[in-house]
Amino acid sequence: MPASDIDRLQRSFYARNTLTVAREMLGQRLVRKLGAHRIAGRIVEVEAYVGEGDTACHAARGRTARNAVMFGPAGHAYVYFIYGMHHCFNVVTEQEGYAAAVLVRALEPLEGLGSMRRHRGGRDGVELTNGPAKLCSALAIDRALNGADLVTSEEAWLERDALVGESDIAEGPRIGVHGDERAQTVPWRFWVAGNPYVSGR
DNA sequence: CTCTCGATGCGCT
DNA sequence: GCGCATCGAGAGA
């Protein structure tokens, strides 16, 4: 087994309450492997999408071909294509049959900065990964990764890294959602307070 | 700095 | 056809 598996997050991490997983994902390392090359960053901002009762969740209107991965087992990647040009990366949570996931909204770059700059058209600094579509671009994540099992994949996974204390976690309403009143106000966006890589607004 | 708006593919109604 | 879990360029203050 690869040395990296020592720190890889296992199924038991993901197969829990989505809000708990979302909070604990802060500080962990998202790793993308392209050939022998690693690109990675610390997760500093996430959003939880919790079940068919959450009208901002893609699964709110039931299972479709697009959102099927969210209904599957925890620990798989849910990657979707949006606005005709962007991708967003999520991690599936909870038990099989319960549609929920955590969207990764921002990373602090740690490995493969040169690759990130290239993938981002020469942009640098916070512009590398301070948004859900930006980090997918930087890490070369697209729909080819949709459904990938992050517990066993050699292409992408999460590694145990720094834990973020409760006092350093900020929370607020999710960004850009179009569900009902509750969906737009419930504080299911979590970020590392003061981290410069957190997305704007 | 803030605000507005176009890009652009596709899943779903 | 409509609308989207976004981004970045451009205009104006």
Side-chain angles (χ1 to χ4, degrees):
Chain A
M1 125 169 113
S4 61
D5 279 5
I6 293 170
D7 298 316
R8 186 192 289 240
L9 296 180
Q10 300 300 311
R11 192 88 54 209
S12 55
F13 175 87
Y14 303 106
R16 295 182 294 159
N17 174 278
T18 306
L19 300 181
T20 301
V21 176
R23 287 172 167 278
E24 295 189 13
M25 277 173 61
L26 294 174
Q28 311 306 331
R29 183 176 301 223
L30 172 58
V31 180
R32 173 76 165 119
K33 199 164 184 188
L34 297 174
H37 185 64
R38 278 172 61 113
I39 308 174
R42 189 185 314 287
I43 296 170
V44 298
E45 180 185 359
V46 297
E47 282 176 1
Y49 290 87
V50 190
E52 298 180 63
D54 174 5
T55 58
C57 182
H58 286 170
R61 297 192 186 192
R63 182 178 186 136
T64 67
R66 183 205 197 196
N67 65 29
V69 173
M70 265 203 292
F71 288 80
H76 287 246
Y78 170 48
V79 181
Y80 62 87
F81 184 63
I82 192 72
Y83 295 117
M85 64 190 81
H86 300 303
H87 297 273
C88 290
F89 175 84
N90 302 250
V91 170
V92 176
T93 58
E94 312 267 356
Q95 72 274 23
E96 187 165 0
Y98 187 94
V102 177
L103 169 71
V104 179
R105 287 195 55 92
L107 298 176
E108 178 176 336
L110 295 174
E111 305 175 46
L113 283 278
S115 295
M116 291 192 191
R117 286 187 204 100
R118 211 170 331 111
H119 294 148
R120 292 280 295 129
R123 290 172 189 281
D124 204 354
V126 299
E127 290 299 321
L128 250 23
T129 51
N130 68 341
K134 295 179 187 179
L135 71 90
C136 281
S137 175
L139 270 59
I141 291 171
D142 61 23
R143 277 174 299 178
L145 271 181
N146 187 42
D149 186 354
L150 302 173
V151 178
T152 59
S153 174
E154 290 301 320
E155 300 194 89
W157 60 89
L158 267 61
E159 288 178 6
R160 174 73 57 192
D161 208 309
L163 285 171
V164 176
E166 283 294 313
S167 61
D168 289 321
I169 298 177
E171 61 181 52
R174 294 170 295 183
I175 291 177
V177 298
H178 296 269
D180 60 17
E181 172 84 20
R182 172 171 174 271
Q184 295 185 36
T185 56
V186 70
W188 287 349
R189 171 180 176 235
F190 304 98
W191 66 94
V192 178
N195 189 285
Y197 290 90
V198 171
S199 68
R201 312 181 212 202

